[in-house]
Amino acid sequence: MFRLYTRYVVSRLRLVGSGYRLQLGYSWRKPLSVGKKRLPDIIRNFPIVSKRHWTSTSNIKQQESEQHVASLVESDRERYFVKKVKPLSDKERERLRFLLREYVIDNTSYLEKAVEIGISKEIYPRALRLFRKHVHEATGRKELYTREDVALYNVVWKALSQEDDAKALEELFPSFIEYTKQYFPEEIQVRNRMREYADLRLPHLLFPEARKRKRKIVYHFGPTNSGKTYFAMERLKQAKNGVYAGPLRLLAWEAFEKMNADGVYTNLMTGEEKKMIPFASHTACTIEMLSTEEEYEVAVLDEIQMIGDAQRGWSWTRGLLGIQASEVHLCGDPSTKDLLKQLAERCGDEFEEKEYFRQTPLNISRKSLNGDLNKLQDGDTIVVFSRRDVYETKYQIEQTIGKKCCVIYGSLPPETRSYQARLFNDPDSEYKILVATDAIGMGLNLNIRRIIFASLEKFHGLSSSARKEPLSFALIRQIAGRAGRAFSIYPNGEATCLYEHDIARLQEAFQGSVPSIDSAGLMPTLDQMELFASVVGENVKLSTLLDLFAEYAKLDNLFSLCEQKFLEMRRIARLLQQAGTLSLKEQFEFCQAPVNVSDPFLMKYLLSFAKNVAAGNRSELTVRPYQGKLLTQLDLQKLESRYRIFDLYSYLSEKFGREFFPDYQVALAYKRRTIQSLETALTEGIRFQDDSDKNSIPKKSSPEEQPQDNWFRLPVSEESSRASDIPLK
């Protein structure tokens, strides 16, 4: 092949013409590392095909130009040549076409390998098409001109010599990766940076100040009513400064009151309230409010087994890895022992175990009540799993045996739950029986003689996706363990079932060991999301960032994303797209707000508040406490809905400041009035109102036979939630 090297000097563009390589009789493919600028007309109009490999002399000193030209010519002489080869036969080309199209597309393992390298799912099919075309061109000629083409030709022949298609693809795959890296360098670089910023395999390194310390981790583990939290709190009281972090505001309040009563000045920090005590050395807070910036002598993290929770586990992971304390006391059940030990080793901390045993006996009954409410006694607690069942059961008990009941369930304000607990614990009270959901599993000290399970199944999920599933053994043990408490009027506890068919599973839950929790929950922090956004691009919505983060996140076997919390944040983030222009930090704060995403009434107010923040306007509290007479469950639901709005407003006022949410004190006052109304309503009694049979409490039924509790689990319709005295902005 005739090779021509020539030199053109284009004075206007100051180009060195020898950078152009002209060859006859060869259809050049587009060079991978060259931009898309057009050649000068004097070169493009040549009756031969040209390929450019030039540089601008504006970046080269004039005295070095001749040396540069000589090096280019020498490089071309070394790289470009003519080599005669044997083209592929039709049969070989057909097999190659099969390998590069049908087999690769159907085999997802190669896509997964490519994604790991940084070739995204969007780039992969395009790169495959280009590579396929490139291979067919390189193997369809009798002459090759570059060392790269010769190397690819040899790889193809080696692949076709393999009888096994999988082995043939293994030979071709590295060439495909190398080709893609050259053709999509910027896209792959961006994807690799996204993967780097979404790497959650070493979350303990996100807390460098905590890693500088040689911490001592003390794990207090044992069953309910074993005294593990008591001994951890005693150590906290002895420290010169410290912090208690629990899962509920109720627990934070309890620690706050007890420590101050014992002469240990303690502040209270929750997402909705702050109480600052003069000269306080300690803090009681909810786990989400735990500061990783402060330094402590002793920290207590309660209910550490929730580190694996799909909704809130990330808070305990963050607290354990990031708290700056000389001693970190963890309180929980034995299910997390192995996981916590591995996390302590990874952080380079000392790990100590302290096992506790139940202080009073717990008897697991072999007989049920057979559905007979007349067998109920003072100090009994019936456990159901929906608010509807709570009030239906309360109604039937009061109608059947004439005894008044207290109620506790998750959507009650924590202050109301505490009031109901005190009412039940008071020996002089008329309220001798408690009807509750699994909300009693943690955080309340109750004088319970006997736990009675109305069912050992509960619905999981919302609306049409809800399904009934058996309770885990760990949850059964935790709830049953609330019966009997040292130093109470019922020191010996008992657990049984309302119906006979549940007894076998109750006994089974206490025979074997509780499955271990093998991973700690994680969620991206605001700092991580801001770094991630710097790669993805400016003005990207948080919902898009969350989707991409979930796609590129890397975790090892000790960690997992909190799926439920992630889905909830994404749902709120998508709603915020209607709010206008919010910064990433503002979107992130709204996604952390205490809202039930299945309540459209509450979500309307969240969106309204977000729109005001985006527009720079103040959000006044237009909702007033419910003034109607509380007679039915629907009235009570309206009252609880108002409380959640006041709760949301006070949270946003703390996060965004009084300039956006000026009615903070009004919201707190309305919360107190609402709590008083709730307490009065529950004391006087609420009628059970439902279209179903009111003459029996929940009965034995299969998941298919028992209707879903739509009144409780499904969102309230827009019409029913729009009360006349609640104006919507």
Side-chain angles (χ1 to χ4, degrees), residues 7 21-22 28 130 190 225 237 261 299-300 307 313 318 387 402 413 470 572 586 596 615 645 652 664 694 715:
R7 177 179 303 174
R21 183 171 54 256
L22 307 180
W28 284 94
L130 291 170
V190 169
N225 193 24
K237 292 176 184 179
V300 175
I307 197 171
R318 169 183 165 274
R387 177 168 52 180
I572 297 175
E586 291 169 340
N596 180 356
I645 292 175
L652 295 176
Y664 174 73
K694 303 179 182 58

Side-chain angles (χ1 to χ4, degrees), residues 1-4 22-24:
M1 167 67 73
F2 172 73
R3 182 183 293 111
L4 172 66
L22 307 180
Q23 295 184 345
L24 300 175

Side-chain angles (χ1 to χ4, degrees), residues 195-263:
R195 190 170 298 279
E196 176 186 351
Y197 293 149
D199 193 339
L200 300 177
R201 290 175 296 182
L202 301 173
H204 62 290
L205 298 182
L206 297 175
F207 306 98
E209 296 301 322
R211 298 291 74 77
K212 293 177 183 177
R213 290 174 170 266
K214 182 63 176 179
R215 305 185 306 175
K216 180 180 180 181
I217 308 294
V218 183
Y219 180 34
H220 305 263
F221 67 95
T224 306
N225 193 24
S226 60
K228 53 186 183 294
T229 305
Y230 170 80
F231 288 104
M233 293 298 292
E234 287 299 306
R235 176 66 187 96
L236 177 62
K237 292 176 184 179
Q238 298 168 7
K240 63 178 182 181
N241 72 332
V243 61
Y244 167 86
L248 303 172
R249 276 184 283 172
L250 198 60
L251 285 176
W253 261 98
E254 182 178 330
F256 167 75
E257 292 177 343
K258 283 186 176 180
M259 293 183 70
N260 280 296
D262 292 340

